[in-house]
Amino acid sequence: KDSTIAKMHFVDLAGSERVKRAGTTGERLREGIQINKGLLVLGQVISALGSEAETKQKQHVPYRDSKLTRLLQDSLGGNSQTVMI
């Protein structure tokens, strides 16, 4: 019996703006910092996965460095197909 399992993640990354330009303070400032950190780490993960596929050598992929990449870990690595819009 064959079965297929699918998982969908919808992540809204809006709000990643420059702190000085937006003039945010307080809770919004902390939220913006976390979003920017998550985007930075997501870029690092994608870069590590790309260079790992290119060189065929195992490389450390920093999934644990942010909540976003920890959440998306099974969708980014392994035997999966991922689309980002």
Side-chain angles (χ1 to χ4, degrees), residues 45-57:
V45 167
I46 292 170
S47 178
L49 290 170
S51 64
E52 186 176 288
E54 193 174 277
T55 62
K56 305 289 185 202
Q57 293 180 349

Side-chain angles (χ1 to χ4, degrees), residues 8-77:
M8 292 185 96
H9 293 284
F10 290 98
V11 181
D12 179 14
L13 299 175
S16 60
E17 65 271 334
R18 296 186 186 273
V19 173
K20 287 183 181 179
R21 188 182 325 158
T24 56
T25 58
E27 186 63 33
R28 288 217 128 170
L29 174 63
R30 286 188 287 280
E31 182 181 319
I33 290 170
Q34 289 303 104
I35 290 171
N36 287 335
K37 179 184 174 196
L39 289 173
L40 175 68
V41 175
L42 180 60
Q44 292 170 342
V45 167
I46 292 170
S47 178
L49 290 170
S51 64
E52 186 176 288
E54 193 174 277
T55 62
K56 305 289 185 202
Q57 293 180 349
K58 286 287 184 186
Q59 183 177 353
H60 172 70
V61 181
Y63 291 116
R64 294 184 183 176
D65 291 354
S66 83
K67 290 180 182 179
L68 175 65
T69 52
R70 228 176 294 143
L71 174 72
L72 297 175
Q73 180 174 356
D74 58 341
S75 297
L76 293 171

